Every structure is written in C-alpha cells, then in structure tokens.
Amino acid sequence: MAISSDDVLHVARLANLSLSDEEVARMSEQLSGILEHVAALSSLDLDGVPPTAHALDVQNVTRPDEVRPSWPRDEVLAGAPAAQDGMFRVPPTS
Amino acid sequence: MSENTTTWEPVIGLEIHVQLNTATKMFCRCENRFGAEPNTLTCPLCLGHPGVLPVINQGAVEKAIEIGLALGCTIADRSVFHRKNYFYPDSPKAYQISQYDEPICVDGHLDVGGARIGITRAHLEEDAAKLVHSGGEAGRIGGAEYSLVDFNRCGTPLVEIVTEPDLRSPEQAVAFLALLKNTLQTVGVSDCDMEKGSLRCDANVSVRPAGSSEFGVKTELKNMNSFKFLGDGMAAEIRRQIDLLERGEPVVQETLHYDPGSKMLRSLRSKEEAHDYRYFPEPDLVPLAPSQELIDRLRDGLPELPAARTARFAESYGLPPQYAADLNAEPRVADYFESVAAGADAKSAADWVLNTRPSPVDEIPAGRLAELIGLISAGTITSTIAKQVYELMLADGDTPPAQLVEQHGLASIGDSAQLEAMVDEVIEANPAFVEQFRSGKEGVINALVGQVMKQTKGRADARQVQELLRSKL
Amino acid sequence: MTVVDTLGLTAERCAELLGAREISCRELVEAYLERIDAHDPDLHCFLRTRPEAALAEADALDAAGPKGLQGVPIALKDILCTRGEETTAGSRILAGHRPLYDAGAVTRCRDAGLIPLGKTNMDEFAMGSSTEHSAFGPTRNPWDHELVPGGSSGGSAAAVAAGFAPLALGTDTGGSIRQPAALCGVVGLKPTYGAVSRHGLIAFGSSLDQIGPFSLTVRDAALALQTIAGHDPCDSTSVPLPEPVSLPDAEHLRGVTIGIPTDLLSVEGVEDGVRTSFETTIGEAERLGASIQEITLPTARHALPAYYLIAPAEASANLARFDGVRYGLRLEEPGDTVVDMYGRTRSEGFGDEVKRRIMLGTYVLSAGYYDAYYGTAQRVRTLLLREFAEAFSGVDLIATPASPTVAFPIGERIDDPWAMYACDLFTVPVNLTGLPGISLPSGLSDGLPVGFQLIGPAFSENRILAAAHALEQAIGFDPVPTGYRVGG
Ligand SMILES: [Mg+2]
Ligand SMILES: [Zn+2]
C-alpha cells in the first residue's frame, strides 16, 4: 500500500504538522515502506475474531462525585506560552 | 410549474447537549460550576497536561442512566468511551472523550402532543473550554486578533441526546424540547438553563414532498440558544430549502448558524473542511457495565415525570388538557400549583398560577394564594378586588390576605342596605339614562352599573348590581 | 575520594550499608553524583541531575536514621512527571516544562525514601530502540561507547550499568525496558499491564505503556517492583496486585516448565551469538531442574506489524495535546492563525521519528483505513491473547531472547525505520497481551551482553522473579561493563 504525497499532505493536515517538500517525499516513501511490512497481516484469517482494545479485563472503574480543590490559577498559567486576563492567549482561530 | 403545487413536509431531528449538575467534572475532581473567575476551576487533567489520566465520575454515570430511564431507553449492558480527535483551542487534549458506537442509553422515546418521538441514543461526554475572541471587531470571530481560553467549563459532564428524525414542524420540535427540558429538570440532572448553555440544541433539518418516504438532503443548524431562535431558525431553514427545491436547485449538506439579529442563516464552515474524527476506543478507560441493581435503584428513585403528571392534573384536578400541559412547562410551576390547589379550588388555582402577572410562583407563598382564592370563593371579596389584594400581598408578604382586606376595607358590599342605597343614588342622579332604559334601550344599564361600581370602588359584584338595578327600574 | 565504589553496587547492598550506618545517605548520594560527574559526559545517560535536592533529601534521612530502602538512589526516565522539576520526554516541545505534580510511581519512590538523582535520556516520547531519537543527543552504551544502549529507556539502562544509580525506572511500550536492559547487561522488568500506575507517565501507547525497573540483580528488581506497584485511583487501568511481591531466593527450577516458542525463534534477523547464548541459558535452566517444552505461538511473529499500527494510532492522539497553548514550546509568527501556530510548533517541536509515528497513526485511524489497519491489528491482539493463554495452560513460563541482536553502532539504523522497529520482535507480543516479562543478562556475545527474556501469565511476577533469580545465580554474569572493570 503506497502512500502518495497527497495522502501525506492530507494526513499532515489532520495531525497539524507542516512538512517541507523534502519531508513529504521522505514520509511518503517511509510510510509506504512500513505499510509494506504491515501487509503481512492480511495473510491471517481473522474472520469472526473480535477486536481487543485492551488486554485488561476490568470494567466499571469510577470515582465518587466529590470535589477536590482546583489548582491555583497562577500555577496553571505559569507554564503557558502566552496568558492574558487570567486566560490562555492564542492566535485568532480564523 | 407543477413543483409549485407540491406540499412539502419538514423532517427534523434534534441533537441536544445537556450539562449535568454533578458536583465535579466528568473526568477530574474540579468543581463543576458556572460563573467562576476564568481558569480557577482547573487542574492538570482538565488542562490536558502530559501524563494525566481520566477517571469516570460515578455521579455523571448515574445521572446519564436516570436520563435514559426517564426517556424510556434501554441501558446498555456495556458502554465504551472513545476518543474523538480534533484540534481546536477549546479542546486541551485535541480529542474529546465521548461515546461512539456503544453509548450508555439507546432506543427511547418521548411522547409530545400525542406523537411518539424516538430517542436514538443518549451518551456521556465532556464539554469543551470557552473561547473569548478579542482584539478585532468585538464579538466577531472573523475579525479577532487573538482569542483567550477559559478552561473552567472544560470537562463538564454532558449527555448528548439524539432523536430520530420524527419531528415534522418547528412548533413540534419546540414543544418536544420544552417537554424534554421539563423532564430533565424534574429528574434533577440539569438546570437546563439555555442562557448559561447548560442546554444546547442543534437541529438536522430537511424537507421532502408530503407522502414521500425518502429523506431529503439535510442541513445542520448549530447551537440555537433559546426556544425562540430554535423555532425561528428551523422555520427560516425550511423556507430556504423549499425555495431552493421549488427553483429546481439542490440543497447542499452543510452546517448553518442562525443569526437572530439578521434572521439569516450562514454557513459555519466556509471552506470544505474534511472532518475526520478518527474515533478509537479510549485506552485510558475501561467499559461501563451498570448492574441491574443500580439501574433498578435509579429507576425506583425517579420522580413522577411531566408526561405522567400532566395526565394526572387533567384527571384528578379536572383541568382542561391545555391547563394541565401549561402547568407542567416547568416543574417548579407544577409543584407550586399543587401546593395552592391543596387549599383552594383547582381551576381557580390554575388560573391564578398561569395568568397572573407578575407570576405568583416566586412571589407569594402557595398557602397565602390559596387563602386569597378562598376569600373569593366565600364571597368575601370580588375577583376585581382580589387583584388589588394580590398587589398588596406582593408588597407585604407576611400579612394574611384576610387581614389585608380588613385593613384596607376591601370586603364586598354584598346585598346590604349600603349597596341598595348606592343603587338608589345612581338612579336618582341619572334620570336621562333611566328614561332611555325604560324606553327599551337596555344597553344603557351598563353605564349605570359602571357608576355603581365606581362608587363601591369595585367592592361589589357587577352581576349583582345589575340585578338590583333591573329590579328597581 | 569516595567511601564506596558504586560500580556493581546493588540497591540491596546500599540498604545494608545504610542500615548498618557504615555509610550515610549523604555519602552514598555523593558517591553516585561524583561518578556521574566523572563519567556521564562520555555516556550522556542523564538529561539533568538534581544534586542539591538529592543531598538535602539524604541529609533529612540521615537525621532520622534510614530504614528499608530509604536513602537508596534511583534514576528516573524523563518521561515520568516530577513536580516542579523539568520533564521533557526527550522532546524539544517540552523543553523547560515543569509538571504540576509527581507521577504515581515517583510518589511511591519518594514515599519509600528512594532519592531521585536525576532524569535520564530517552528516545523522544519513548519512540525508538536506541535512544538516538532524543532531542538532546544520544546516550552511549557503557560496554562500548560507539554503540547504542538500546531504547527507548537507554539512559536508565546505561546509568545502572555504568554505576550511576543502583536502580532506575523506565517505561516499556514495546520493549523499551527489556531491550536496553539486554543491550546494557542489566536486569529490566516490564510488569503486568495495570500493576504500576501510569498516572504521570507521559503517554505514548496508552494500552501498552508500563513502568518498570532496571537493576543489577533480580532481587533488586523485586525490591523496586515492591516499591512502585499497587493500585492507584488516578489510573483507571491500575489494579491491585493479587499477591504481594516477594524477594526471590529460589536456587533451582524444579517443577517449572519453560516453553520455547520455536516458530517465533525461527524468524530471520536473530544473531547467531544471541541464539547461542539463549540455548546455553536454556541448558542452564534444565540443569536447574526445569523441564523445557517446545510450543508454538503462530501469531507472535505478526505482533510486530500489529504493534506498529496500534502504538502509533494511540500516540497520534496522545501527542495531539502538544499544541503550544497551555505549556511547552510555541512557535508563532505575526499574522498566524491558531492552525498556523499549531503546525509551526509541532513541526519544529517534534523530531523525525515522532512525526513519522504521528503520521502513521493518524493515517491508520483515518476514514476508510480504520478497519484495514487499526481494526485488523486489534484482532491480531485477540489471537495473541488466545495463543498465550493456551500456551500458559501447558507451561509456567515462556522464554525468548529479549533482543534479536546485541548493541549496534550509533547511526546504523537511524535512517531505516523498519530495521529499528525489528529490535522489538520478541518484546512487543508481551505488551500487546499485557503480560509481564523480564530481561536477564545471559552472557556475552563478542564481548557484548545478551538478554534472556522470561514471560509469564498476567500477575505472575513472583514466578518470573523466582525463576530469573535462580538462573541469574547459575549464570553468574558480571554486570560491570568490561571497560569499567578494575584493570580493564
Ligand atoms: Mg457531542
Ligand atoms: Zn480539573
């Protein structure tokens, strides 16, 4: 399964990575190479085999609805690349 | 053209997001509260810091099950959280933890106005943060120079309720949403305050020729934050789609935003933005498998729901169906009515609760209103005077209405000599009217009644005054 | 002049010396810090040390009088959050990031009185098998400085081998503890999924990640596991251990059946020296009384491609949060929209391997491909679980080499992703099934350590540790790298 440059650009957009032309070309080649190895899986008979998302067989892990103090705002904003008026500042969304 | 004779049938399905009124957020223990200073209700988890892991709030699970039970849903033996991937500054992990193909509640319904509206599913998820756009033209996303993010709301438990495309008019959709809101409030899982965003509604709207069983192309109307906007938005969109179809143009599947100012619908995403959420099972959480004991306990704990209560009001209080329905628009109104009706005539109680402005619900203790209604029934005061007494009660909530009547001399004059004297006085003072009446112009009697009533300052029953006048004339 | 030589010094021995007051916690910490100062410039095991904090903690313990493991130093992989102390996961995108909280495993170490010396180097976000993918430069193998230490926990493995710490924590998503342990000649334990809290472990593949220890001996690995394992309410996938971790003292393997998956072992790419050492060790196990049984795990050879679909898929979502908004790197130019800023920040902040895996993971989850890739891989996982369950109905433990090769030269595989991924051949089946596995040094091949892997059923850590201990005693491996031995 070859991954074209267009595929790479589409996926990069979904992943919010801006790739140089050289990276796009390399990514297309390397990802195609990896998927060639993955193609071996198609030899397996998986009919009727259910998927396993998690090896752990546990359910109903919840916690009580009880409040714990939140973090001081100064502390959570201290690591922010940009903050203003007690909020996280970001470039315009459009 | 033949198209112009087509009758069009709207087809509407709703997607409703309800913020649950849990103490804490969905996956962390920050307080779930509206209106706090920005970013004071956050922690590494709801800020999506590296290394944090979600833990499911049992309170939210129980409220979601209660919603499912109230909507006649099946509670799934097993439900699973997925990651819904998208980048936006309101989404700190760049994925929303939501339920996808295995939701907690499925296959329910809510009956509104005799129609059964199917509930496809109700699932648990987390709310996003709040973005404030600043710097450019105020309030306009397009002109903003930057945005500010407040994560207080981020992680608030949400239940998303999805209906079948069973609704056939904006009015029906609004009535459905009103009943749903009341049902959720009655169950006590949300304040459903649309202004604060704790109830949000999107609509999928399409039209088709009446009688057709196929669906037309639908558009999605986003985030209409009041019943009025929802109704107007859907009506506008239905008109737009019909116009398009009648001109022979196709409806394009898109997301639209209703602008209540201009009464226009505009496309939310101008460019063709491929949405690919890449759902996959959330590996940080394990499945939910609520026990039958838990489900039974929650079912037993459910209060009487609005649909059942409406039926009961009509039945046991003998109220007209519209009264019963109107009283059940809000649980607190229905509760108040029942308290008043416990001490007074039910029909009068309903009249007072529904038609009095300002509404007595938050103003007058139910027992006092019942006393007031009792004074009318006993003939102690007239209905006209009762309105006056009500005004006095608004200003002085402590004094019983009977005492207010006493203090202000508002008791009815009844058939006493005093009233007869007043009638005689008026007859004497208006010979011209008397003449006209006697010569067959019966209508003038109203003028005479009016004069008597003026003299009594409303303390007499107009019908009784008229009878007295007639007997004297 | 230090009072103690830290080369070859075990945690157990440290605790003895401290308990007997033969040395103080301060003296011990100083000895390790001195050795790090003297030799880490050659190796680059540590991204950061914390001498003042470590010495202050040592002084406090000295004042109280240390008990148990109190005062024993430990090195922490830089993927574990440490409150107020920089934690980067080996990435430029987190340079300068100071977590607001301690990871669960770190809290347990602190509660036990272990003294963190610093944070160790790693492949960026644990993606790699050589530690060359660190944004801060590679770590070198203490056995040969031209070779890689393995990865992704290469800094932790090399630190223990080089005498920089008697214990270190790493994380293992597809072999990132066991493979570097093998390449550096130390013990590396990957516990059962759920045994150690992942809270505060910067996630790579959430359904696969597990924290575990590096040590010089199997008993030390047991001591470390005792310290870090146990239920944590902050991790919904954490479960209580069915039985406490016990210190192994077994001297034989009588009554133990060890399965050899011959089909998996027959795959290409396993070095002769590795095979020879593996066979020698199996012979040793037989001499200790174990019965050896050939088994098959037909799907195990397909674990590698399945793993390289599942782990990148999970990683693509886990690494989406690094967006320049709340912490970490942000790169922004005037006029940028938020999407421009995302792209700039993430493209510059992530290294090539991380970008490759994000791309791969995003691709395999994207519309139209989910079933063919991610769905298929999750079905393979079901088969693997069935096959291991079936195997463990007949054997107590399964043995394989930990790595198909010994340490390889720096730069050799960096440009060939699949060649690097192939390092994980024997380790990934264990992660996909959530099972525990240990890598034990089994000898040298051309002067370089070879790792022997024992795999057990879920929560059979005591069984694994007991068998590994017995083998370790019989093998008598000297974990001090040849170049560091006195006169060597
Ligand atoms: Mg939703
Ligand atoms: Zn929080």
Side-chain angles (χ1 to χ4, degrees), chain A residues 1 8 11 15-16 18 23 30 35 37 44 46 49-50 52-56 71 75 79-81 89 91-92, chain C residues 83 100 193 237 324-327 330 332 336-338 343 346-347 355-356 359 363 373 378-379 381-382 418 433:
Chain A
M1 176 84 207
V8 168
V11 173
N16 276 280
S18 34
E23 277 181 304
Q30 290 178 331
L35 289 182
H37 288 278
L44 292 171
L46 298 169
V49 179
T52 298
H54 225 280
L56 199 69
W71 250 250
E75 258 189 69
R89 183 179 162 142
Chain C
R83 185 181 167 104
L100 297 174
Y193 186 86
T237 63
V325 174
R326 285 142 293 121
Y327 45 76
R330 174 193 290 194
E332 186 182 354
D336 270 3
T337 64
V338 78
R346 292 166 58 78
S347 302
K355 283 191 262 188
R356 200 148 45 227
M359 291 288 292
Y363 180 76
Y373 291 119
Q378 299 287 46
R379 289 180 165 81
R381 203 171 189 179
T382 307
W418 197 260
T433 49

Side-chain angles (χ1 to χ4, degrees), chain B residues 328-389:
Chain B
N328 276 291
E330 273 183 87
R332 62 188 188 98
V333 175
D335 291 345
Y336 182 81
F337 161 76
E338 293 218 76
S339 303
V340 178
D345 166 61
K347 174 70 169 55
S348 306
D351 269 329
W352 274 89
V353 171
L354 291 174
N355 301 323
T356 310
R357 295 290 170 273
S359 166
V361 174
D362 293 318
E363 307 290 339
I364 308 287
R368 288 275 185 258
L369 183 58
E371 288 172 26
L372 179 64
I373 295 168
L375 292 176
I376 306 167
S377 312
T380 311
I381 54 172
T382 63
S383 304
T384 318
I385 289 296
K387 302 240 158 50
Q388 228 172 303
V389 179

Side-chain angles (χ1 to χ4, degrees), chain A residues 70, chain B residues 25 28-30 41-47 154:
Chain A
S70 290
Chain B
K25 295 188 180 183
C28 69
R29 289 194 165 187
C30 288
L41 302 176
T42 71
C43 70
L45 190 127
C46 54
L47 291 168
C154 188

Side-chain angles (χ1 to χ4, degrees), chain B residues 47-51 54 83 92 276, chain C residues 101 198 200 236 318 321 326-327 367:
Chain B
L47 291 168
H49 274 233
R83 292 184 181 178
D276 185 347
Chain C
Y101 67 102
R198 293 183 296 116
S236 308
N318 283 329
R321 69 187 59 199
R326 285 142 293 121
Y327 45 76

